[in-house]
Amino acid sequence: GFLPRSRLQRPFVTWKTATSLDGMIALADGKKRWLTGPDMRRYVHLLRSRVDGLLSAVGTVLADDPEFTCRNPGLSADSPHRFILDSDLRVPMSSALVRTASLVGVTLFCKSDTNADKRQELIDAGVEVKTLPVGAGRKLDLGACLRQIADAGYNHILVEAGAGLSRSLLAQDLIDRIVWTQSQHLIGGDGIPAIAGLSQLALPAQTHYMQSDEGVIGDDRWITMERRPR
């Protein structure tokens, strides 16, 4: 991660997703359910212990109330700093992220015109709040977000997010490595896909990522893909 932080002014970005066999991250109702088994979830916690920071978005926080910590025995001290894109500071004060802010760092990225009282309440609870410029569609600027993370000294971040943030990162070519974990469930076309629509009209001559590793853990499988050399 040090090299892209030095050369590109952003951390090395690994995107992790957990899907059904047909590429869905949730059923149509969006309610939290485990797709992969406990052995694969321990593997994901191991991945968290090997990065400096973890990036997600407020939609995932509101849907799942995750801690985003490493809870494997003996590795809790290696939990990554949590970075959350939250334009309007919608993260609840009762969320697991805020409750654990004194144990594992949390940074929320928001717009400059967010509610000052909510911002101060979060700061008083131990949460770091930073502002970002907005781009098209009043969305937070992902490039500026990654630059701030790099400037703070973080070399490698793991992205665990829903379809919207995943699509934006892929569309802006900001993902260096993909770790795709997959269960044997079939959900169907009314499920929520891992990536929101990219609106591609043609396939490239070669894939953007190359498979570098694969394996089976319990009843689930995973593959790792690396970005092709530029």
Side-chain angles (χ1 to χ4, degrees), residues 82 96-106 124-127:
R82 286 86 51 91
L97 284 172
V98 175
R99 295 198 314 270
T100 59
S102 62
L103 302 174
V104 182
V106 180
D124 291 343
V127 176

Side-chain angles (χ1 to χ4, degrees), residues 47 58 105 108 120 139 143 147 173 180-181 184 188 194 198 204-205 224:
L47 291 178
V58 66
L108 300 183
Q120 189 59 52
K139 291 185 177 181
R147 283 192 296 275
D173 196 19
W180 196 297
T181 69
Q184 298 184 38
L198 287 171
T224 300

Side-chain angles (χ1 to χ4, degrees), residues 11-17 41 43-58 60-61 66-71 78-85 97 104-109 145-146 149 154-162 165 169:
F12 186 91
V13 177
T14 294
W15 172 53
K16 190 280 302 180
T17 188
R41 294 199 293 274
Y43 170 68
V44 171
H45 283 239
L46 181 63
L47 291 178
R48 291 177 184 172
S49 76
R50 293 174 173 173
V51 299
D52 305 314
L54 185 147
L55 177 65
S56 192
V58 66
T60 298
V61 175
E67 281 189 23
F68 288 139
T69 55
C70 176
R71 297 188 293 280
D78 292 327
S79 293
H81 189 98
R82 286 86 51 91
F83 295 97
I84 307 297
L85 293 161
L97 284 172
V104 182
V106 180
T107 299
L108 300 183
F109 291 108
C145 171
L146 294 179
I149 293 173
Y154 294 87
N155 289 324
H156 186 179
I157 62 168
L158 181 69
V159 176
E160 296 189 48
L165 177 55
L169 288 166

Side-chain angles (χ1 to χ4, degrees), residues 6 58 185 200 221:
S6 301
V58 66
H185 297 294
Q200 296 195 70
R221 66 186 296 266

Side-chain angles (χ1 to χ4, degrees), residues 25-36 41 64:
I25 57 174
L27 300 180
D29 60 12
K31 292 182 179 179
K32 180 178 179 178
R33 296 176 179 87
W34 294 116
L35 286 176
T36 54
R41 294 199 293 274
D64 299 339

